[in-house]
Structures are given as C-alpha cells and as structure tokens.
Amino acid sequence: MYKASLILLSAIKGFQNKHSSQENSIYLAHLRSDNKPRPNIVFVLTDDQDVHLASLDYMPFVKKHFLDKGTYFNKHYCTTAVCCPSRVTLWTGKAAHNTNITDVNPPYGGYPKFVTQGFNEAYLPVWLQQAGYNTYYTGKLFNVHTVDNYDKPYAAGFTGSDFLLDPYTYNYLNSTFQHTGETPKSYEGEYVTDVLAQKAYSLLDEAVAADNPFFLTIAPIAPHANIQMNGSVLDDNHTFEFGSPVSAKRHEHLFKDEKVPRTTSFNPDKPSGANWVLELKQQNQTNVDYNDHFYRQRLRALQAVDEMVDGLFDRLEAHGILDNTYIIYSSDNGFHIGQHRLQPGKSCGYEEDINIPLIIRGPGVAANHTTDIVTTHTDLAPTFFDLLGIPQRDDFDGTAIPVTKAGIELAQERRREHVNVEYWGFAGGEGKYDHDVLHENNTYKAIRILGPGYNLYYSIWCNNEHELYDMDVDPSQMHNLLSKDHTISSTIANLPIHKVVARLDSLLFVLKSCKGITCQQPWKSLHPKGDVLTLEDALSARFDHFYVEQQRVEYNFCSNGYLVDAEGPMWEDHGSVFRDGLMWYEWV
C-alpha cells in the first residue's frame, strides 16, 4: 500500500502541466482500483441558503458531518441567482444562456420550459442511468412542477422519486408530494422538512436494497420564504402570499436575540449599487425589525434540515456504505436581507446572492479542509461525472472540481479564475414590505474573478450602467469604481482602472455567448496562441492596444428573457480584431 501511494504521488508530480482535474481523476481511479464497488453520491441541495449571513454557523450537524469531515469550497458560486435557472445549470453543466431557461416561470423558465427545451432527455439523472447508476430524488425539482403537469411528461431519469409539487412547494405546513408512479398526496398539517426526511431515508433504504451504485438527491425547501399559492402560475387568477420561513414547532424558541449581521452594506446611510438598487430608500426601524425576524425564521427553518443531515449519516453508517459514498451539501443560490437596502430576496449579482455553500465529503477528500479555488454550479455535473468515473461530455460548459488535496493544490495555480454571472428579468422581494413590487430591468452580466493581486466584480446592466468593485478593499461592494460619482483616483493590480476594465469587458464579451471549451478557457479565444491564461497575463502592457480596439459589451434593450436581439454585439460576429487578413495574435 505504501509503495502504491509513492507511485501515485510520483504520477501526480509528473503531470504538473495537466489540468488539476486529471490529477484528481488519477487519484480517484486509484481509490476505485481495489475491486471496490462503484461509489455512491448523496446530494443535499437546500433552497436560498446563504454564506454571508452566516447560516452554516447555526447548523451543528452540518459542521460535525460535513465541515469537520470534508472540504469546504468557500469560493463557490451560482451563475444565475434564482432557483430554476440555477438548478437547470446544475443538472446540465450548461450556462443559462445555453439552456435558455432564465426564469422561474413560463415563458422563460419553469418545468414546462425545461421540457420543451429538450432537457428532460438530456440531464444528469438520465446520463447517470445510462452509466449504470440508480437515481433517486425527493424534494423540490423545479418551479412550476405541479399537481397538474407532473406526468406531462414525468421527470425522466429517476429509479425512484418523491417530488414536492406546486402550488404547495413552499408551504411549510401544507405540502404535496408525488411518489414514483402514484398520484400526488397532501401532507397538510405536517412539517414539510420532517416529511421530506422520512422520504429521503426511505429512498436511501430502497437504493441500498437494490444493491447497485446510486445517486440520491435530497432537496428541502428551507430556508426559502413560505408561500401560500392559490393555484400555480399556469392557472387563471392565481395569487401568491409571501411570508417568512416557518420552523418546526420544536425550534420556535431558538435564536431569539439573533439579528442580520450588521456589515458595512447593511441598510447603509448612503445608497449603493447601480440601476434600480441605487434608488432604494433606507429602511426604517420597523422594516429592519421585521427583517431581523425573517432572518431568525431562516435559521430556525434550517434546524430540521440539520437534524435530517444527522439522521442521514446515521443511516449511511448503519448500511455500511459511508466510506464508499460522496456526500455533498450545497444550495441553488444565495440570499440577501438588508444589504444595499434590499428587502429579503435574491436575483442580484452581489456576493450575498451568488457565493453559496459547497461542502464535499467522501473517499479521498481532505477532512476539515477549506479551499478558495473558484468553482461554480456549472462545474457540478462534470464533478459528479468525475467522482463516478464517467467520461466527460464535450458539451459541458464547466469543468470537474478537484476534491483531492493534490488536485486542489494544483488548481491553486492552474484552474480558471473566473465566474460568469448572468441574469434576465425582474427582481422581486420576499419580505412583507415589497413582496408585491417587481424591480424591472434586473437583467445584467457580470464577472467575478480572483487571482494574484486582484479580487474583482465587474458587471454591466441592460441599461448599460457599469459596476466595478475591488473586493480586497471593498468586500461589501459599497464603492462602485465606475460610478459617475466616484472621483477618487484608484488603481487595480497597480494599473489604471481603465486598463483593467478593458480586459474584463473583453473577457465578458467572450463569456456572454460561450459554449463548452470556450466557457472553460475564454482567454484562448482572445489569445489563441495560448500565452494568456489569466487576467494577470492579459494585463501585460504589450496587449494594451489590442484591448483598446476590442468591441465592448452592450445591450440593445432590456429583456425579461434571453433574446439574442436584446443581447447586443456577440463575440462570434464582432470578436477580436483583424488586420490585413491576420488575427491580432499573429501580430504580437
């Protein structure tokens, strides 16, 4: 065993110029080589769970079983900060501009759009079954997956399932589930996460009894807001009533003195952000008090999830499969409460909404380890493939996340450093002070990029306003360096801002319509010789003129969905610069 380990380490050292996921795969293959059964995956996917409001600090069983025993990826991001588009990206490995599922409801999103776009035959559970895995799911799948359309068609690719269905998905005390092949059943009066936990344990027992490798997803709604719906959005005259999350009775007394973290951006005296965010009024004390209550309800609602996690690990251990199972914890998107004067909600590109939990535990994964390599939900489907030894698909926009210590160490130097963030449509609040207000023109594109000497967020809204934040000096994103009111001379990476912005804008221009390998390696589209792989490389003075001449990202108009006519110039038609029939890289 010792000799084998030395050979393994030597192999890893010898592949220094390869992508870190290859080293990851070498080690994972080594773990599977001793005639062990193929590994399982259990995936816990919460709804709207934050990182920056410190929700994980209130989940002792998540700490015990995940954080203390696994690896925490603290720079993990969703790429579209709302439920359905984010989940479709997660299950397909494709950016939202490639799925064209950009909203929670029709015509731009929801389960009906997922089906008509052809993804019911081309997403993770279908691919896993083709690779010989049994697949199980309980909880929320997508928005507008309803008691009327759950069988039109059935969600494909599941060996066993027990789905939460609209219009009862977000009603903590009046849920409806639909078990494999059966008609929907109401659980009125029962607490939804407790119902879900029993269904999860039952599916786990079923998966183990089948004596076949499996992938089990458990998707509770906590800590999402409570919503009472009078019909789904497909029904005439439907109504929604938002309220704070609801906890189980046994948790109602907890956290009585907790408040939303009072960070610099919390309900600031001066407005911040851009577009409609910049116009928000400061919240009065009554509003702040309610938001603190909303925050406490989120923490309380997560306690039943935390207990479910503990029960899950007890059962994995009792079944004797814990050591051969990857267990993963994440959320579909983040959440804000009061930051930038925002009411409770998501849908923005700020750090609270896009930076989300990702914790992985399992064979070969370092225990009690934290890494800051950049990862996204676009990477999860490729990662699941990698963990299970399935060859990567050419049409993935993401790349497998390294989970071994060796792979992570290599990724610190070689993994891509950017997150492509995109959103279309409106932003809606979920608290009681603006639940009936839709903030229009919330369409934007952004880059979150981290590297040596820079830690940046750059965005362009559909009204063509720009934002740039230096997150090292302004982690709360309070000082937009591209605001017309910003008069202080600033530099980034010891360079004038306009030089850095020129590179960021060109990178975003490639990413806004990228597919496959171009999403993974966008700098190669700008510099096909391969001599530029990072922003640090691109900031070389020899490229100054090239970036001055590049087409800029701009919208033609604001649209509530992904419409090519609204998107403005595209890389495929207006990218790079040609001179005398030669591309720029042939000149430099």
Side-chain angles (χ1 to χ4, degrees):
M1 182 67 183
Y2 177 71
K3 182 178 179 181
S5 297
L6 288 177
I7 293 171
L8 171 67
L9 288 173
S10 176
I12 290 176
K13 297 273 187 190
F15 280 86
Q16 289 292 319
N17 293 323
K18 299 288 187 180
H19 193 281
S20 60
S21 68
Q22 290 179 293
E23 280 69 27
N24 190 61
S25 298
I26 290 171
Y27 185 67
L28 296 179
H30 169 77
L31 291 175
R32 293 190 291 263
S33 64
D34 298 328
N35 296 317
K36 290 182 179 179
R38 298 173 73 184
N40 313 299
I41 289 181
V42 176
F43 182 32
V44 179
L45 180 67
T46 59
D47 200 320
D48 288 2
Q49 186 167 2
D50 61 272
V51 164
H52 291 272
L53 303 183
S55 63
L56 290 174
D57 293 350
Y58 298 85
M59 303 183 76
F61 291 122
V62 168
K63 181 181 186 303
K64 173 184 176 182
H65 296 296
F66 280 104
L67 291 168
D68 291 350
K69 300 289 187 178
T71 294
Y72 176 44
F73 295 80
N74 68 7
K75 291 296 184 290
H76 184 74
Y77 293 85
C78 66
T79 55
T80 306
V82 73
C83 309
C84 189
S86 181
R87 289 169 184 250
V88 175
T89 288
L90 189 161
W91 296 124
T92 62
K94 294 178 180 291
H97 66 258
N98 288 328
T99 67
N100 202 7
I101 297 172
T102 59
D103 194 2
V104 296
N105 298 325
Y108 300 115
Y111 182 63
K113 183 70 179 286
F114 175 80
V115 171
T116 60
Q117 287 292 105
F119 291 114
N120 200 37
E121 292 82 36
Y123 71 131
L124 186 72
V126 172
W127 299 327
L128 291 178
Q129 286 190 335
Q130 292 169 351
Y133 269 77
N134 285 351
T135 53
Y136 303 87
Y137 197 111
T138 185
K140 172 187 168 182
L141 182 63
F142 298 123
N143 304 76
V144 201
H145 189 208
T146 78
V147 295
D148 296 318
N149 72 6
Y150 70 90
D151 58 350
K152 299 180 181 64
Y154 286 101
F158 293 105
T159 310
S161 60
D162 222 327
F163 296 120
L164 267 169
L165 297 178
D166 282 355
Y168 308 101
T169 300
Y170 295 117
N171 195 322
Y172 281 80
L173 296 174
N174 186 18
S175 59
T176 291
F177 285 81
Q178 185 266 322
H179 186 257
T180 313
E182 300 175 3
T183 57
K185 179 180 177 181
S186 172
Y187 291 84
E188 185 173 3
E190 299 183 54
Y191 188 65
V192 62
T193 309
D194 292 344
V195 175
L196 177 87
Q198 294 308 311
K199 291 181 176 297
Y201 303 154
S202 177
L203 287 175
L204 177 62
D205 292 343
E206 183 180 329
V208 172
D211 195 25
N212 197 62
F214 66 86
F215 189 110
L216 166 63
T217 302
I218 306 168
I221 60 165
H224 196 285
N226 189 74
I227 307 178
Q228 294 194 33
M229 303 183 192
N230 177 23
S232 81
V233 297
L234 301 177
D235 298 321
D236 294 334
N237 302 315
H238 67 273
T239 60
F240 288 6
E241 183 179 342
F242 281 82
S244 59
V246 176
S247 72
K249 198 81 174 170
R250 61 188 179 276
H251 301 134
E252 288 178 348
H253 66 289
L254 298 175
F255 315 124
K256 290 183 178 179
D257 297 323
E258 297 303 316
K259 294 181 178 181
V260 179
R262 294 322 198 236
T263 58
T264 305
S265 64
F266 179 78
N267 198 28
D269 292 336
K270 293 182 179 180
S272 55
N275 198 355
W276 61 268
V277 180
L278 192 59
E279 300 172 359
L280 293 173
K281 295 180 180 179
Q282 190 172 31
Q283 298 170 8
N284 62 29
Q285 190 58 48
T286 302
N287 192 159
V288 170
D289 290 344
Y290 172 77
N291 287 348
D292 284 334
H293 162 75
F294 194 103
Y295 175 69
R296 289 188 288 271
Q297 288 298 102
R298 283 172 57 85
L299 299 181
R300 291 164 181 156
L302 283 168
Q303 298 314 295
V305 176
D306 200 43
E307 293 170 352
M308 180 196 72
V309 164
D310 193 43
L312 174 66
F313 277 90
D314 285 346
R315 286 161 175 80
L316 288 169
E317 194 160 17
H319 282 303
I321 60 172
L322 181 59
D323 291 341
N324 194 42
T325 301
Y326 293 98
I327 311 99
I328 299 165
Y329 189 97
S330 192
S331 182
D332 49 6
N333 49 259
F335 206 76
H336 57 249
I337 305 177
Q339 294 73 37
H340 306 286
R341 302 181 175 180
L342 290 158
Q343 301 292 344
K346 56 260 188 182
S347 306
C348 295
Y350 302 119
E351 201 76 349
E352 292 81 11
D353 291 13
I354 61 174
N355 186 201
I356 56 177
L358 176 65
I359 317 165
I360 300 178
R361 170 181 172 170
V365 181
N368 195 26
H369 184 64
T370 297
T371 176
D372 59 1
I373 63 170
V374 176
T375 62
T376 77
H377 266 8
T378 319
D379 301 325
L380 287 186
T383 301
F384 297 145
F385 270 44
D386 200 45
L387 294 176
L388 301 179
I390 303 170
Q392 296 291 308
R393 294 176 58 88
D394 292 337
D395 60 351
F396 279 152
D397 294 336
T399 58
I401 298 168
V403 301
T404 67
K405 216 163 190 178
I408 289 171
E409 287 173 359
L410 282 171
Q412 298 284 357
E413 297 181 3
R414 304 187 181 279
R415 187 173 172 82
R416 59 123 219 275
E417 59 186 3
H418 69 272
V419 180
N420 180 26
V421 181
E422 48 193 4
Y423 197 95
W424 295 263
F426 58 84
E430 299 178 19
K432 79 177 180 182
Y433 288 99
D434 74 341
H435 65 275
D436 57 350
V437 176
L438 296 182
H439 299 285
E440 299 287 351
N441 300 335
N442 190 56
T443 297
Y444 58 85
K445 303 187 186 303
I447 288 178
R448 184 72 175 90
I449 189 163
L450 302 96
Y454 47 87
N455 179 10
L456 308 172
Y457 175 82
Y458 174 68
S459 74
I460 301 169
W461 295 77
C462 64
N463 64 359
N464 292 315
E465 286 186 53
H466 291 64
E467 288 179 283
L468 175 65
Y469 299 98
D470 184 343
M471 305 282 286
D472 280 334
V473 298
D474 182 23
S476 296
Q477 297 169 283
M478 291 296 294
H479 305 291
N480 178 11
L481 299 177
L482 301 181
S483 167
K484 61 183 179 182
D485 297 326
H486 182 79
T487 57
I488 301 173
S489 177
S490 302
T491 61
I492 293 175
N494 297 317
L495 292 171
I497 284 178
H498 73 272
K499 289 193 175 184
V500 179
V501 168
R503 273 72 169 178
L504 294 174
D505 199 273
S506 294
L507 180 62
L508 185 56
F509 190 47
V510 174
L511 289 171
K512 63 178 279 192
S513 58
C514 70
K515 293 182 179 180
I517 191 68
T518 303
C519 299
Q520 301 165 24
Q521 302 175 15
W523 290 112
K524 285 191 176 181
S525 292
L526 291 160
H527 299 273
K529 290 176 69 174
D531 54 343
V532 173
L533 301 177
T534 66
L535 177 59
E536 182 182 26
D537 297 338
L539 288 172
S540 169
R542 68 191 180 110
F543 300 125
D544 284 353
H545 188 65
F546 170 65
Y547 282 105
V548 166
E549 294 194 359
Q550 287 303 299
Q551 169 69 49
R552 295 289 168 246
V553 175
E554 58 181 338
Y555 286 86
N556 290 333
F557 57 90
C558 291
S559 168
N560 284 338
Y562 181 67
L563 303 178
V564 173
D565 289 346
E567 295 289 307
M570 293 291 199
W571 168 259
E572 292 76 13
D573 299 320
H574 299 89
S576 197
V577 172
F578 292 82
R579 294 192 175 186
D580 299 329
L582 297 176
M583 291 190 70
W584 170 262
Y585 75 89
E586 298 181 79
W587 282 84
V588 296

